[in-house]
């Protein structure tokens, strides 16, 4: 799907996160969990325990610790006994929903408890914080939980309750540090803490990305990336060679007159720069054509908008796309292409309704345009409307039977549906479809790439490796293939050195490959090299081509940073490779 961040060439579906999750074989739906991608800790075998919300007060933080210090005989009434009695009374009030009474009892327990009984005292503070939480007195919750944590630094309930209160107070950075500590202490087994971490990371990521993206310097992607983007279109006039698109008047077929047109048209100069891969000059030449109101104004607007999208400037791209779409006398294929690109831009901006509208409009005005169905099919995959996606790919294939890309992506859609639906028979049918695609279209690198990912899911690692080798043979400059092949080595052979070598090769080939930096950062988190991981994530952030992608990367960077703070404060570190 055309987008402000064009589809990853090796994924083809715009779903690199989903594919990466399957490829590595670990859950990464949550932002914080993503930075522990290759964890081999036993927690994965115990997932599901302790996933309930923590609401009730406690009896004792550590009964065994205080049993020997407390007299339990009928005639003894020590300060600790009286404190425990007050706490028990507070628990009854709490369960009855009488929170003011509960707070009074917990306060009495705190005042009665000997200061050297840290475990019990921390429990009383935590219980009073639970009562304050029910009254939404967030500042008091934070204050009491802080007292509890000071007395018992690894007190999970107090840390988590404080994290929730900090979120309510919009103290997201501090909230993230607390919930990160909780996640590590619980070995990522509790769904509630994982969801809070994910939510806060997303909020922080969006806030930072909004400010950063607004002030970012435009950055042209690598030539390979740009060529991969344009190769996903077959009915795009602006991406066609000069001789096929512009010299359309019969009186322009003489060599001398054609040369004159080329010299006088800034748009045609821009097209020439495009063929020469001199991409930095294209926007300025298109601007000259638009300002002079030349004969190729519509084409220049669309080409300029396309490169605005490629450099991540959707704000500048949209007015140009709007003008082409609303032109009365514009070529229908230009308008359809503009609708595809604006629809893809809307999807990047998480506006699926507007995106769907644009794709449907494109299909209405140019029903025989294969690009419309191809890119709408990818949109449907993003929206988990797989059956409709397959229908669109079929429509594309009917119009262009030689569309290897659509054939491969149809197989991928069918495979994803079968895999997520746990249907072995349909999975095998999809795998057979991949075999047919690579047999019929042996020069289509995308077919091998998508098949390799499906093979990895099925743990057919050797054959998947062969498919990636075919991709590299066909497209040696495609950095993303090396990243996927590197990830395969980690899952297949646990060969960290080879995995890192391949990902480093990807960066050597294309030093603007944000996916490579992101993956490298994720691996470095697992190796415990948090400073290096943060450096990798920051490099990826500077290369992000959409605000949404940048927000995701900030989430990963913030997660890594939070771990460094947790390690410093509490001496807690997640398991490493």
């Amino acid at each position: 799907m055309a987008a402000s961040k064009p589809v990853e060439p090796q994924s083809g579906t715009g779903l690199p996160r989903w594919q990466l999750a399957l490829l590595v074989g670990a859950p990464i739906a949550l932002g914080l969990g993503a930075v522990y991608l290759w964890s081999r800790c036993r927690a994965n075998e115990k997932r599901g325990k302790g996933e309930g919300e923590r609401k009730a007060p406690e009896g004792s933080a550590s009964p065994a610790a205080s049993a020997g210090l407390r007299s339990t005989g009928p005639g003894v009434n020590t300060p600790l006994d009286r404190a425990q009695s007050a706490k028990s009374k507070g628990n009854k009030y709490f369960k009855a929903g009488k929170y003011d009474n509960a707070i009074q009892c917990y306060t009495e327990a705190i005042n009665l408890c000997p200061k050297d009984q840290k475990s019990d005292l921390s429990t009383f503070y935590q219980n009073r914080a639970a009562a304050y939480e029910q009254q939404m007195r967030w500042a008091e919750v934070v204050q009491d939980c802080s007292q509890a944590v000071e007395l018992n630094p690894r007190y999970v309930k107090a840390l988590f309750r404080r994290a929730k209160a900090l979120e309510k107070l919009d103290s997201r950075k501090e909230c993230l540090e607390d919930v990160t500590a909780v996640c590590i202490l619980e070995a990522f087994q509790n769904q509630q803490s994982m969801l809070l971490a994910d939510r806060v990371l997303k909020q922080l990521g969006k806030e930072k990305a909004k400010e950063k993206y607004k002030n970012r310097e435009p950055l042209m992607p690598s030539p390979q990336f740009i060529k991969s983007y344009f190769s996903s279109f077959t009915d795009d006039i602006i991406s066609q060679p000069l001789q096929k698109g512009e010299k359309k008047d019969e009186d322009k077929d003489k060599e001398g007159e054609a040369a004159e047109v080329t010299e006088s048209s800034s748009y045609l100069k821009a097209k020439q720069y495009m063929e020469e891969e001199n991409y930095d000059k294209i926007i300025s030449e298109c601007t000259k054509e638009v300002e002079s109101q030349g004969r190729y104004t519509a084409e220049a607007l669309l080409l300029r908008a396309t490169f605005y999208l490629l450099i991540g400037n959707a704000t500048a791209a949209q007015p140009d796309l709007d003008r082409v779409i609303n032109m009365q006398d514009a070529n229908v294929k230009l308008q359809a292409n503009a609708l595809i690109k604006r629809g893809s831009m809307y999807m990047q901006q998480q506006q699926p309704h507007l995106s769907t509208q644009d794709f449907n409009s494109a299909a209405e005005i140019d029903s025989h345009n294969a690009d419309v169905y191809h890119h709408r099919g990818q949109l449907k995959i993003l929206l988990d409307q797989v059956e409709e996606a397959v229908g669109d790919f079929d429509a594309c294939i009917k119009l262009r039977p030689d569309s290897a890309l659509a054939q491969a992506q149809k197989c991928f859609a069918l495979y994803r549906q079968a895999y997520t639906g746990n249907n072995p028979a349909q999975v095998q049918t999809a795998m057979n479809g991949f075999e047919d695609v690579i047999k019929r279209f042996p020069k289509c690198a995308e077919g091998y790439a998508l098949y390799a990912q499906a093979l990895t899911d099925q743990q057919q690692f050797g054959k998947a490796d062969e498919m990636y080798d075919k991709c590299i043979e066909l497209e040696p400059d495609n950095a993303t293939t090396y990243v996927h092949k590197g990830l395969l080595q980690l899952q297949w052979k646990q060969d960290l050195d080879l995995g890192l070598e391949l990902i480093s090769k990807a960066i050597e080939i294309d030093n603007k490959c944000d996916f490579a930096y992101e993956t490298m950062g994720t691996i470095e988190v697992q190796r415990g090299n948090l400073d290096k991981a943060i450096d990798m994530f920051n490099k990826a952030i500077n290369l992000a081509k959409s605000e949404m992608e940048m927000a995701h990367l900030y989430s990963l960077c913030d997660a890594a940073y939070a771990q460094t703070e947790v390690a410093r404060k509490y001496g807690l570190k997640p398991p490493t490779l």
Side-chain angles (χ1 to χ4, degrees):
M1 181 172 62
S4 53
K5 179 187 187 301
V7 175
E8 291 284 353
Q10 285 292 313
S11 73
T13 65
L15 293 171
R17 305 294 171 261
W18 182 82
Q19 293 165 1
L20 187 58
L22 295 179
L23 183 64
V24 177
I28 63 164
L30 299 176
L32 188 63
V35 298
Y36 305 117
L37 209 53
W38 296 279
S39 175
R40 298 292 185 261
C41 66
R42 289 176 295 174
N44 290 333
E45 300 171 8
K46 302 177 182 177
R47 187 170 299 277
K49 296 182 182 179
E51 292 189 353
E53 177 71 64
R54 308 172 181 83
K55 291 182 180 177
E58 291 182 79
S60 174
S62 53
S66 56
L69 302 173
R70 179 185 303 121
S71 297
T72 57
V76 177
N77 191 12
T78 68
L80 186 55
D81 289 329
R82 294 196 298 273
Q84 288 290 346
S85 177
K87 181 261 306 181
S88 297
K89 189 177 179 181
N91 286 355
K92 291 179 182 178
Y93 280 127
F94 185 98
K95 291 175 182 177
K98 297 180 179 180
Y99 302 116
D100 284 332
N101 294 50
I103 288 168
Q104 289 178 5
C105 290
Y106 295 140
T107 301
E108 182 181 353
I110 290 167
N111 292 334
L112 287 169
C113 184
K115 302 306 178 186
D116 60 344
Q117 300 300 307
K118 293 185 178 181
S119 180
D120 293 283
L121 190 54
S122 68
T123 300
F124 302 153
Y125 276 113
Q126 199 282 143
N127 283 8
R128 191 170 70 175
Y132 283 137
E133 183 181 44
Q134 295 301 313
Q135 297 180 330
M136 295 185 287
R137 294 166 64 177
W138 308 119
E140 286 90 342
V141 174
V142 171
Q143 185 176 356
D144 272 6
C145 286
S146 296
Q147 290 284 354
V149 171
E150 184 177 341
L151 292 161
N152 182 0
R154 298 194 179 193
Y155 195 170
V156 170
K157 283 191 176 182
L159 283 165
F160 185 61
R161 181 157 279 119
R162 186 170 69 178
K164 291 186 292 181
L166 286 166
E167 182 190 23
K168 295 294 185 181
L169 294 169
D170 290 329
S171 299
R172 296 191 182 94
K173 180 176 178 292
E174 294 80 6
C175 170
L176 180 60
E177 289 178 14
D178 276 355
V179 78
T180 298
V182 171
C183 287
I184 296 173
L185 283 167
E186 295 181 323
F188 296 92
Q189 294 183 75
N190 191 291
Q191 188 70 8
Q192 293 296 328
S193 54
M194 289 288 285
L195 287 171
L196 175 56
D198 181 56
R199 185 166 64 247
V200 173
L201 282 166
K202 286 179 178 176
Q203 291 168 346
L204 283 169
K206 286 180 180 178
E207 289 173 3
K208 291 183 178 181
K210 184 176 182 180
E211 185 63 27
K212 170 81 171 180
Y213 198 77
K214 181 173 62 177
N215 300 312
R216 70 192 289 271
E217 289 292 326
L219 182 67
M220 191 68 67
S222 66
Q224 192 279 330
F225 187 92
I226 294 171
K227 286 184 285 187
S228 293
Y229 175 78
F230 280 109
S231 71
S232 67
F233 295 93
T234 56
D235 281 326
D236 181 7
I237 292 175
I238 64 169
S239 65
Q240 299 300 321
L242 283 170
Q243 64 270 24
K244 293 184 180 179
E246 290 76 18
K247 302 171 189 174
K248 49 194 175 187
D249 289 355
E250 291 180 359
D251 61 345
K252 294 290 184 296
D253 58 357
K254 296 180 182 178
E255 184 175 348
E257 291 179 348
E260 182 181 347
V261 172
T262 301
E263 292 173 2
S264 62
S265 169
S266 295
Y267 168 72
L268 295 183
K269 287 182 182 178
K271 288 294 297 291
Q272 185 64 45
Y273 287 137
M274 191 169 167
E275 290 187 4
E276 296 169 355
E277 299 182 15
N278 194 353
Y279 300 120
D280 290 325
K281 295 184 178 181
I282 289 175
I283 290 176
S284 61
E285 290 299 329
C286 288
T287 299
K288 292 176 185 177
E289 182 77 16
V290 171
E291 290 176 348
S292 67
Q293 298 182 12
R295 61 175 297 178
Y296 297 112
T297 296
E299 288 89 341
L301 284 167
L302 182 55
L303 184 58
R304 184 171 70 175
T306 301
F307 273 87
Y308 277 141
L309 291 174
L310 283 166
I311 64 175
N313 191 349
T315 302
Q318 183 162 348
D320 285 355
L321 295 171
D322 292 346
R323 283 184 63 184
V324 175
I325 291 165
N326 295 319
M327 278 184 175
Q328 297 297 319
D329 56 348
N331 186 308
V332 169
K333 289 201 177 297
L334 289 176
Q335 292 179 313
N337 188 268
L339 283 163
I340 291 170
K341 289 171 180 172
R342 192 176 70 178
S344 300
M345 180 191 72
Y346 283 142
M347 194 62 197
Q348 286 286 339
Q349 296 170 346
Q350 296 180 294
Q351 300 184 74
H353 179 66
L354 292 176
S355 179
T356 300
Q357 282 185 340
D358 273 0
F359 277 103
N360 292 344
S361 296
E364 288 175 8
I365 67 170
D366 195 5
S367 60
H368 296 290
N369 188 328
D371 288 343
V372 175
Y373 303 104
H374 176 197
H375 291 273
R376 189 171 68 177
Q378 295 184 57
L379 168 69
K380 298 299 184 184
I381 290 179
L382 286 169
L383 297 175
D384 286 324
Q385 299 170 3
V386 181
E387 288 186 12
E388 293 182 28
V390 171
D392 275 336
F393 289 135
D394 280 335
C396 175
I397 293 165
K398 184 177 179 180
L399 289 166
R400 286 190 177 273
D402 60 344
S403 176
L405 198 56
Q407 300 270 7
Q409 290 175 347
K410 176 187 173 182
C411 284
F412 183 81
L414 290 169
Y415 171 75
R416 183 187 177 196
Q417 184 180 45
Y419 184 89
T420 56
N422 196 25
N423 189 320
Q426 290 184 7
V427 165
Q428 189 56 52
T429 298
M431 300 298 275
N432 293 339
F434 279 123
E435 287 284 353
D436 181 61
V437 167
I438 64 174
K439 183 177 180 180
R440 291 167 55 202
F441 304 100
K443 301 296 184 183
C444 178
E446 190 83 6
Y448 294 106
L450 294 176
Y451 190 23
Q453 292 177 48
L455 288 164
T456 303
D457 298 340
Q458 301 303 309
Q459 298 189 10
Q460 298 181 39
F461 301 127
K463 191 168 184 179
D465 199 42
E466 292 175 9
M467 294 300 105
Y468 284 128
D469 285 339
K470 287 293 295 183
C471 291
I472 291 171
E473 179 183 329
L474 291 167
E475 295 182 351
D477 295 332
N478 193 326
T480 313
T481 306
Y482 288 91
V483 179
H484 283 298
K485 185 176 170 68
L487 289 170
L488 175 63
Q489 309 312 309
L490 290 172
Q491 185 178 6
W492 178 20
K493 301 176 180 178
Q494 291 76 53
D495 192 334
L496 182 61
D497 291 337
L498 180 55
L500 289 172
E501 180 183 331
L502 286 163
I503 297 168
S504 297
K505 176 70 174 177
I507 294 172
E508 180 184 329
I509 290 171
D510 180 3
N511 63 4
K512 296 179 180 179
C513 182
D514 54 340
F515 181 42
Y517 290 112
E518 175 188 346
T519 307
M520 185 76 81
T522 308
I523 295 173
E524 294 298 349
V525 167
Q526 269 301 291
R527 299 176 75 196
N529 299 330
L530 296 177
D531 289 337
K532 187 170 183 181
I534 291 169
D535 180 55
M536 291 294 105
F537 290 139
N538 279 324
K539 287 181 178 179
I541 286 167
N542 291 329
L543 294 167
K545 299 173 184 68
S546 73
E547 188 175 326
M548 183 172 68
E549 180 71 11
M550 186 177 284
H552 164 77
L553 291 164
Y554 266 121
S555 295
L556 294 181
C557 191
D558 286 341
Y561 180 76
Q563 288 175 61
T564 65
E565 292 300 295
V566 166
R568 181 178 61 81
K569 286 184 178 180
Y570 304 108
L572 292 174
K573 293 184 180 180
T576 58
L577 285 172

